[in-house]
Amino acid sequence: MTECTPDAEVTAHHLLYESTLPPSERVARLRRVAVTEGLDANTRPLAWTLLLGCGRIEARRYSNLCDGLSDDAQKIRDDARRTFRADDSVRQKVRDAQIVRCVTALARSRNNEVSNGANRSAVAACFLYALPSELEAFACFEKLAELCPRYFTPTLDGCVVGAALVDHILRCISPEIHGTLLGDSLLLDDDARTPVEDLVAYPLLASLFTVVPPLDEVAVLWDATFALGGHFPVLCVVALILERFESGDQTVARLQPRRLAPLDARRIVARACAIAPRVPRSLYDVLERHARDASVDRAVVAAASEAPRTPPKPPPSARKRAS
Amino acid sequence: MLLKVVILGDSGVGKTALLNQFVNNRFSTSYKATIGADFLTKEAFCGANARSVAIDETLVTLQIWDTAGQERFQSLGVGFYRGADVCILVYDITQPKSFENLDTWRIEFLTQASPSDTQNFPFVVIANKLDRENDRRVATQRAQTWCAKNSTSILPFFETSAKAATEVEAAFRKAAQLALSQGTMQADFIPETISFRGSPANGDSKSSCC
């Protein structure tokens, strides 16, 4: 990444508005800049629509999608009401009605086959916060749901698999930290989910980091994600765990997203990029596919992981119960 | 002794608010929806006998698991429920649907947690948002009837307000007491819950408390 230190020729602003390079080359370079430098409030709107491939954004289509009720309209309204209530900077910019419209439109555009969890409201709110118009927010939201469709299914299965990937990657690259976090928790069987998966990775992935404020930092993680792909948040979670562990948060309880210190997104992106080459190839292959490919489940992740699972031997009583 | 308490109920009924009122004596109107799950621990003295005097009480660590009401069991691991010593079911007195869903929550909990004795597994039912009595749409009598028909013994029932701290302590103490009586019978199963190295009491970085 060091070769990418920007000069005037490779800033996002230059690539978006001034460069005379062919469009494909500009987008390719923009991808790199979005990862190494991040974007800012001025360049982000256009950059995100390009990185996500929004193409032509049609106001009438959005209007039609909003103009009607989703199958779970009441639930959408309840979720919207409970999204970022405590964050004044978000509340000033994002109205509940906008979240409701964006989520309703996404549900209708995907024939209601979309997660009915708080995660979709939180993700929609972050788009509405970072982008100047509701229309752009929806266009990006819809494209993100195409980039990682399994993160938006009713069962959030991509998030479950992503959380398993976090666990396996952490185990591969830092068995000591993984072991410390696992503590003496006893796993009943080989496919039991670990506390790192369930309590740390899952909420971070399901919310795409919006559960950890501030949203300005979340947007920086998204810059890199939209540039690199739907696999990148998993690496960011691993990076975040390593960063916080080194800062003294050495138990799962302290790493729970609601109790984490505010994000330092640039550090996390840099760390995630450094982790990527250390992930074994078989596992990386699964990582790249997991957000889209429904055949990737936890068993596939476990099989791809080069480090076999060796849970501590359960005591006789636990074995008895397991049987 | 470590006791695992799981709180379940529809989205927005006040699970996180109840937990924070009990553990941190705080209430906020601005809780965000819980994504996935999360847990807090609290130490409390309690006795297995409802009428026990202080001398019979033991120090227990309650590990209370707060879950996202909207995700049901589709995406949460069975690890959340397995090894639970007691389950608290919460509904909102202003939302009849949240009361009607108690059946589903109870059945799904029993399916996922698969306790050894499903008939006698302890539940506590909490009717929250008592501070909004004027908007009440679930009569106390209706809930009490449900509590009576769903167990061999009547399920303990509390009407609470996480906002006003009404009956929150009492409800959790009852849950702890039931968990303790359950725990004394099934002490061997406790290691199946997630536990962490070090004593939660010492407050250092190894503690499971935050």
Short mmCIF file of all heavy atoms in Angstrom, two decimals, chain B residues 11-58:
data_model
loop_
_atom_site.label_atom_id
_atom_site.label_comp_id
_atom_site.label_asym_id
_atom_site.label_seq_id
_atom_site.Cartn_x
_atom_site.Cartn_y
_atom_site.Cartn_z
N SER B 11 -39.51 -7.66 19.71
CA SER B 11 -38.72 -6.46 19.54
C SER B 11 -39.45 -5.25 20.15
O SER B 11 -40.65 -5.08 19.95
CB SER B 11 -38.52 -6.30 18.03
OG SER B 11 -38.40 -4.99 17.69
N GLY B 12 -38.72 -4.46 20.91
CA GLY B 12 -39.29 -3.21 21.43
C GLY B 12 -40.08 -3.33 22.72
O GLY B 12 -40.66 -2.35 23.17
N VAL B 13 -40.11 -4.52 23.33
CA VAL B 13 -40.89 -4.65 24.57
C VAL B 13 -40.13 -4.11 25.78
O VAL B 13 -40.72 -3.88 26.84
CB VAL B 13 -41.33 -6.11 24.85
CG1 VAL B 13 -42.25 -6.61 23.73
CG2 VAL B 13 -40.14 -7.04 25.02
N GLY B 14 -38.81 -3.93 25.62
CA GLY B 14 -38.05 -3.34 26.72
C GLY B 14 -37.06 -4.29 27.39
O GLY B 14 -36.68 -4.09 28.54
N LYS B 15 -36.61 -5.31 26.66
CA LYS B 15 -35.68 -6.28 27.26
C LYS B 15 -34.37 -5.62 27.69
O LYS B 15 -33.90 -5.80 28.81
CB LYS B 15 -35.39 -7.41 26.25
CG LYS B 15 -36.61 -8.20 25.84
CD LYS B 15 -36.28 -9.30 24.83
CE LYS B 15 -35.86 -8.79 23.47
NZ LYS B 15 -36.88 -8.01 22.76
N THR B 16 -33.79 -4.86 26.78
CA THR B 16 -32.52 -4.20 27.08
C THR B 16 -32.72 -3.17 28.21
O THR B 16 -31.87 -3.04 29.10
CB THR B 16 -31.96 -3.51 25.82
OG1 THR B 16 -31.84 -4.50 24.80
CG2 THR B 16 -30.59 -2.90 26.08
N ALA B 17 -33.85 -2.48 28.18
CA ALA B 17 -34.12 -1.48 29.21
C ALA B 17 -34.25 -2.13 30.58
O ALA B 17 -33.72 -1.63 31.59
CB ALA B 17 -35.40 -0.72 28.86
N LEU B 18 -34.94 -3.28 30.64
CA LEU B 18 -35.08 -3.99 31.91
C LEU B 18 -33.72 -4.44 32.43
O LEU B 18 -33.40 -4.29 33.61
CB LEU B 18 -35.98 -5.23 31.73
CG LEU B 18 -37.49 -4.97 31.60
CD1 LEU B 18 -38.17 -6.19 31.01
CD2 LEU B 18 -38.08 -4.62 32.96
N LEU B 19 -32.93 -4.97 31.51
CA LEU B 19 -31.61 -5.47 31.90
C LEU B 19 -30.73 -4.32 32.42
O LEU B 19 -30.07 -4.46 33.46
CB LEU B 19 -30.97 -6.13 30.67
CG LEU B 19 -29.56 -6.67 30.80
CD1 LEU B 19 -29.47 -7.64 31.96
CD2 LEU B 19 -29.17 -7.39 29.52
N ASN B 20 -30.77 -3.20 31.73
CA ASN B 20 -29.96 -2.07 32.17
C ASN B 20 -30.46 -1.46 33.46
O ASN B 20 -29.68 -0.99 34.28
CB ASN B 20 -29.87 -1.02 31.07
CG ASN B 20 -28.68 -1.27 30.18
OD1 ASN B 20 -27.55 -1.08 30.58
ND2 ASN B 20 -28.95 -1.76 28.98
N GLN B 21 -31.74 -1.48 33.66
CA GLN B 21 -32.28 -0.99 34.93
C GLN B 21 -31.84 -1.91 36.06
O GLN B 21 -31.41 -1.45 37.11
CB GLN B 21 -33.82 -0.94 34.85
CG GLN B 21 -34.50 -0.41 36.08
CD GLN B 21 -34.04 0.98 36.45
OE1 GLN B 21 -33.19 1.16 37.35
NE2 GLN B 21 -34.57 2.00 35.78
N PHE B 22 -31.88 -3.19 35.83
CA PHE B 22 -31.50 -4.14 36.88
C PHE B 22 -30.00 -4.10 37.15
O PHE B 22 -29.57 -4.04 38.30
CB PHE B 22 -31.93 -5.56 36.48
CG PHE B 22 -31.48 -6.60 37.46
CD1 PHE B 22 -31.93 -6.58 38.77
CD2 PHE B 22 -30.60 -7.61 37.07
CE1 PHE B 22 -31.50 -7.54 39.69
CE2 PHE B 22 -30.17 -8.56 37.98
CZ PHE B 22 -30.63 -8.54 39.29
N VAL B 23 -29.19 -4.10 36.10
CA VAL B 23 -27.74 -4.21 36.29
C VAL B 23 -27.11 -2.85 36.61
O VAL B 23 -26.26 -2.75 37.50
CB VAL B 23 -27.07 -4.82 35.03
CG1 VAL B 23 -25.55 -4.82 35.17
CG2 VAL B 23 -27.57 -6.24 34.81
N ASN B 24 -27.54 -1.81 35.90
CA ASN B 24 -26.86 -0.52 36.05
C ASN B 24 -27.72 0.57 36.70
O ASN B 24 -27.29 1.72 36.80
CB ASN B 24 -26.41 -0.01 34.67
CG ASN B 24 -25.46 -0.99 34.00
OD1 ASN B 24 -24.56 -1.52 34.64
ND2 ASN B 24 -25.66 -1.25 32.71
N ASN B 25 -28.94 0.22 37.09
CA ASN B 25 -29.88 1.21 37.67
C ASN B 25 -30.04 2.43 36.77
O ASN B 25 -30.06 3.57 37.24
CB ASN B 25 -29.41 1.66 39.06
CG ASN B 25 -29.33 0.49 40.00
OD1 ASN B 25 -28.26 0.11 40.45
ND2 ASN B 25 -30.45 -0.12 40.28
N ARG B 26 -30.11 2.17 35.49
CA ARG B 26 -30.24 3.27 34.55
C ARG B 26 -31.38 3.02 33.59
O ARG B 26 -31.67 1.87 33.24
CB ARG B 26 -28.95 3.43 33.73
CG ARG B 26 -27.84 4.16 34.45
CD ARG B 26 -26.87 4.73 33.42
NE ARG B 26 -26.32 3.70 32.56
CZ ARG B 26 -25.08 3.22 32.66
NH1 ARG B 26 -24.29 3.66 33.60
NH2 ARG B 26 -24.65 2.30 31.84
N PHE B 27 -31.98 4.09 33.14
CA PHE B 27 -32.97 3.95 32.08
C PHE B 27 -32.71 5.02 31.03
O PHE B 27 -32.39 6.16 31.36
CB PHE B 27 -34.40 4.12 32.61
CG PHE B 27 -35.44 4.06 31.51
CD1 PHE B 27 -35.83 2.85 30.97
CD2 PHE B 27 -35.97 5.23 30.98
CE1 PHE B 27 -36.75 2.80 29.93
CE2 PHE B 27 -36.90 5.18 29.94
CZ PHE B 27 -37.28 3.96 29.42
N SER B 28 -32.83 4.65 29.80
CA SER B 28 -32.67 5.62 28.72
C SER B 28 -33.82 5.42 27.75
O SER B 28 -34.28 4.29 27.56
CB SER B 28 -31.33 5.39 28.03
OG SER B 28 -31.38 5.94 26.74
N THR B 29 -34.29 6.49 27.17
CA THR B 29 -35.35 6.34 26.17
C THR B 29 -34.76 6.06 24.80
O THR B 29 -35.47 5.93 23.82
CB THR B 29 -36.20 7.63 26.05
OG1 THR B 29 -35.31 8.71 25.80
CG2 THR B 29 -37.00 7.88 27.30
N SER B 30 -33.43 6.00 24.75
CA SER B 30 -32.81 5.96 23.42
C SER B 30 -32.06 4.66 23.14
O SER B 30 -31.03 4.68 22.48
CB SER B 30 -31.88 7.15 23.27
OG SER B 30 -30.96 7.15 24.33
N TYR B 31 -32.56 3.55 23.65
CA TYR B 31 -31.89 2.30 23.30
C TYR B 31 -32.06 2.00 21.83
O TYR B 31 -33.14 2.16 21.27
CB TYR B 31 -32.47 1.13 24.11
CG TYR B 31 -32.07 1.18 25.54
CD1 TYR B 31 -33.02 1.37 26.53
CD2 TYR B 31 -30.74 1.07 25.91
CE1 TYR B 31 -32.66 1.44 27.86
CE2 TYR B 31 -30.38 1.14 27.23
CZ TYR B 31 -31.34 1.33 28.20
OH TYR B 31 -30.97 1.41 29.50
N LYS B 32 -30.96 1.54 21.26
CA LYS B 32 -31.05 1.09 19.86
C LYS B 32 -31.52 -0.36 19.90
O LYS B 32 -31.33 -1.07 20.87
CB LYS B 32 -29.67 1.14 19.21
CG LYS B 32 -29.27 2.52 18.81
CD LYS B 32 -28.11 2.49 17.83
CE LYS B 32 -26.82 2.07 18.49
NZ LYS B 32 -25.68 2.21 17.61
N ALA B 33 -32.08 -0.79 18.80
CA ALA B 33 -32.47 -2.18 18.70
C ALA B 33 -31.22 -3.06 18.87
O ALA B 33 -30.15 -2.74 18.35
CB ALA B 33 -33.11 -2.44 17.35
N THR B 34 -31.37 -4.14 19.62
CA THR B 34 -30.26 -5.07 19.81
C THR B 34 -30.06 -5.86 18.53
O THR B 34 -31.03 -6.32 17.93
CB THR B 34 -30.57 -6.04 20.97
OG1 THR B 34 -30.89 -5.26 22.12
CG2 THR B 34 -29.40 -6.95 21.28
N ILE B 35 -28.82 -6.01 18.13
CA ILE B 35 -28.53 -6.84 16.96
C ILE B 35 -27.77 -8.05 17.48
O ILE B 35 -26.77 -7.89 18.17
CB ILE B 35 -27.74 -6.06 15.91
CG1 ILE B 35 -28.66 -4.97 15.31
CG2 ILE B 35 -27.21 -6.99 14.81
CD1 ILE B 35 -28.05 -4.14 14.23
N GLY B 36 -28.27 -9.22 17.15
CA GLY B 36 -27.65 -10.43 17.69
C GLY B 36 -28.00 -10.56 19.16
O GLY B 36 -29.16 -10.57 19.51
N ALA B 37 -27.01 -10.60 19.99
CA ALA B 37 -27.26 -10.72 21.42
C ALA B 37 -26.09 -10.14 22.18
O ALA B 37 -25.07 -9.77 21.59
CB ALA B 37 -27.47 -12.17 21.81
N ASP B 38 -26.24 -10.12 23.48
CA ASP B 38 -25.29 -9.37 24.27
C ASP B 38 -25.53 -9.84 25.70
O ASP B 38 -26.59 -10.34 26.01
CB ASP B 38 -25.75 -7.97 23.94
CG ASP B 38 -25.29 -6.78 24.58
OD1 ASP B 38 -25.79 -6.52 25.65
OD2 ASP B 38 -24.52 -6.08 23.95
N PHE B 39 -24.54 -9.79 26.54
CA PHE B 39 -24.83 -10.18 27.92
C PHE B 39 -24.19 -9.26 28.94
O PHE B 39 -23.21 -8.59 28.66
CB PHE B 39 -24.44 -11.64 28.18
CG PHE B 39 -22.96 -11.88 28.31
CD1 PHE B 39 -22.32 -11.77 29.54
CD2 PHE B 39 -22.20 -12.23 27.21
CE1 PHE B 39 -20.97 -12.00 29.67
CE2 PHE B 39 -20.84 -12.46 27.32
CZ PHE B 39 -20.22 -12.35 28.54
N LEU B 40 -24.80 -9.22 30.09
CA LEU B 40 -24.27 -8.44 31.21
C LEU B 40 -24.24 -9.38 32.41
O LEU B 40 -25.00 -10.34 32.48
CB LEU B 40 -25.19 -7.26 31.54
CG LEU B 40 -25.17 -6.06 30.59
CD1 LEU B 40 -26.28 -5.10 30.95
CD2 LEU B 40 -23.82 -5.36 30.64
N THR B 41 -23.37 -9.06 33.34
CA THR B 41 -23.36 -9.88 34.55
C THR B 41 -23.63 -9.00 35.76
O THR B 41 -23.34 -7.81 35.77
CB THR B 41 -22.01 -10.59 34.75
OG1 THR B 41 -20.98 -9.62 34.70
CG2 THR B 41 -21.77 -11.63 33.70
N LYS B 42 -24.22 -9.61 36.75
CA LYS B 42 -24.46 -8.90 38.01
C LYS B 42 -24.37 -9.90 39.13
O LYS B 42 -24.86 -11.02 39.01
CB LYS B 42 -25.84 -8.25 37.99
CG LYS B 42 -26.20 -7.61 39.34
CD LYS B 42 -27.31 -6.61 39.22
CE LYS B 42 -27.74 -6.15 40.62
NZ LYS B 42 -28.37 -4.82 40.60
N GLU B 43 -23.76 -9.46 40.20
CA GLU B 43 -23.70 -10.32 41.37
C GLU B 43 -24.83 -9.97 42.31
O GLU B 43 -25.18 -8.80 42.44
CB GLU B 43 -22.36 -10.15 42.08
CG GLU B 43 -21.24 -10.65 41.20
CD GLU B 43 -19.94 -10.73 41.95
OE1 GLU B 43 -19.77 -9.96 42.91
OE2 GLU B 43 -19.12 -11.57 41.58
N ALA B 44 -25.41 -10.96 42.89
CA ALA B 44 -26.53 -10.70 43.80
C ALA B 44 -26.54 -11.77 44.88
O ALA B 44 -26.10 -12.91 44.65
CB ALA B 44 -27.84 -10.70 43.03
N PHE B 45 -27.02 -11.38 46.03
CA PHE B 45 -27.27 -12.38 47.06
C PHE B 45 -28.68 -12.87 46.88
O PHE B 45 -29.60 -12.08 46.74
CB PHE B 45 -27.13 -11.75 48.45
CG PHE B 45 -25.71 -11.62 48.89
CD1 PHE B 45 -25.04 -10.41 48.76
CD2 PHE B 45 -25.03 -12.71 49.41
CE1 PHE B 45 -23.72 -10.29 49.14
CE2 PHE B 45 -23.71 -12.59 49.81
CZ PHE B 45 -23.04 -11.38 49.68
N CYS B 46 -28.84 -14.16 46.82
CA CYS B 46 -30.22 -14.64 46.79
C CYS B 46 -30.28 -16.03 47.36
O CYS B 46 -29.28 -16.73 47.49
CB CYS B 46 -30.81 -14.57 45.39
SG CYS B 46 -30.19 -15.79 44.28
N GLY B 47 -31.49 -16.41 47.73
CA GLY B 47 -31.70 -17.72 48.32
C GLY B 47 -32.59 -18.55 47.44
O GLY B 47 -33.41 -18.01 46.69
N ALA B 48 -32.46 -19.86 47.54
CA ALA B 48 -33.26 -20.73 46.71
C ALA B 48 -34.70 -20.76 47.21
O ALA B 48 -35.62 -21.06 46.46
CB ALA B 48 -32.69 -22.14 46.71
N ASN B 49 -34.86 -20.43 48.46
CA ASN B 49 -36.20 -20.45 49.03
C ASN B 49 -36.79 -19.05 48.99
O ASN B 49 -36.16 -18.09 49.40
CB ASN B 49 -36.09 -20.94 50.48
CG ASN B 49 -37.46 -21.10 51.12
OD1 ASN B 49 -38.37 -20.33 50.84
ND2 ASN B 49 -37.56 -22.11 51.96
N ALA B 50 -38.00 -18.94 48.52
CA ALA B 50 -38.61 -17.63 48.37
C ALA B 50 -38.67 -16.88 49.69
O ALA B 50 -38.60 -15.66 49.74
CB ALA B 50 -40.03 -17.78 47.81
N ARG B 51 -38.82 -17.61 50.76
CA ARG B 51 -38.96 -16.95 52.04
C ARG B 51 -37.66 -16.97 52.84
O ARG B 51 -37.65 -16.79 54.05
CB ARG B 51 -40.07 -17.61 52.86
CG ARG B 51 -41.40 -17.61 52.14
CD ARG B 51 -42.58 -17.63 53.10
NE ARG B 51 -43.84 -17.52 52.38
CZ ARG B 51 -44.35 -16.36 51.97
NH1 ARG B 51 -43.72 -15.24 52.19
NH2 ARG B 51 -45.50 -16.34 51.33
N SER B 52 -36.59 -17.24 52.16
CA SER B 52 -35.33 -17.37 52.89
C SER B 52 -34.94 -16.04 53.53
O SER B 52 -35.20 -14.98 52.99
CB SER B 52 -34.21 -17.82 51.97
OG SER B 52 -33.85 -16.77 51.12
N VAL B 53 -34.34 -16.14 54.68
CA VAL B 53 -33.82 -14.94 55.32
C VAL B 53 -32.38 -14.76 54.86
O VAL B 53 -31.79 -15.66 54.25
CB VAL B 53 -33.89 -15.04 56.86
CG1 VAL B 53 -35.32 -14.92 57.31
CG2 VAL B 53 -33.28 -16.33 57.34
N ALA B 54 -31.83 -13.62 55.13
CA ALA B 54 -30.51 -13.28 54.60
C ALA B 54 -29.47 -14.35 54.87
O ALA B 54 -28.59 -14.60 54.04
CB ALA B 54 -30.07 -11.95 55.17
N ILE B 55 -29.55 -14.99 56.00
CA ILE B 55 -28.50 -15.94 56.38
C ILE B 55 -28.46 -17.14 55.45
O ILE B 55 -27.43 -17.79 55.27
CB ILE B 55 -28.69 -16.36 57.86
CG1 ILE B 55 -27.39 -16.93 58.41
CG2 ILE B 55 -29.84 -17.35 58.01
CD1 ILE B 55 -27.35 -16.97 59.93
N ASP B 56 -29.58 -17.40 54.77
CA ASP B 56 -29.60 -18.54 53.84
C ASP B 56 -29.11 -18.15 52.45
O ASP B 56 -29.01 -18.99 51.57
CB ASP B 56 -31.04 -19.04 53.67
CG ASP B 56 -31.52 -19.71 54.93
OD1 ASP B 56 -30.65 -20.20 55.67
OD2 ASP B 56 -32.74 -19.72 55.16
N GLU B 57 -28.86 -16.87 52.24
CA GLU B 57 -28.58 -16.44 50.89
C GLU B 57 -27.12 -16.66 50.49
O GLU B 57 -26.22 -16.60 51.32
CB GLU B 57 -28.95 -14.96 50.73
CG GLU B 57 -30.44 -14.73 50.93
CD GLU B 57 -30.88 -13.37 50.50
OE1 GLU B 57 -30.05 -12.45 50.52
OE2 GLU B 57 -32.06 -13.23 50.13
N THR B 58 -26.94 -16.93 49.24
CA THR B 58 -25.58 -17.12 48.73
C THR B 58 -25.32 -16.08 47.63
O THR B 58 -26.24 -15.57 47.01
CB THR B 58 -25.42 -18.52 48.10
OG1 THR B 58 -26.51 -18.71 47.21
CG2 THR B 58 -25.39 -19.59 49.14
#
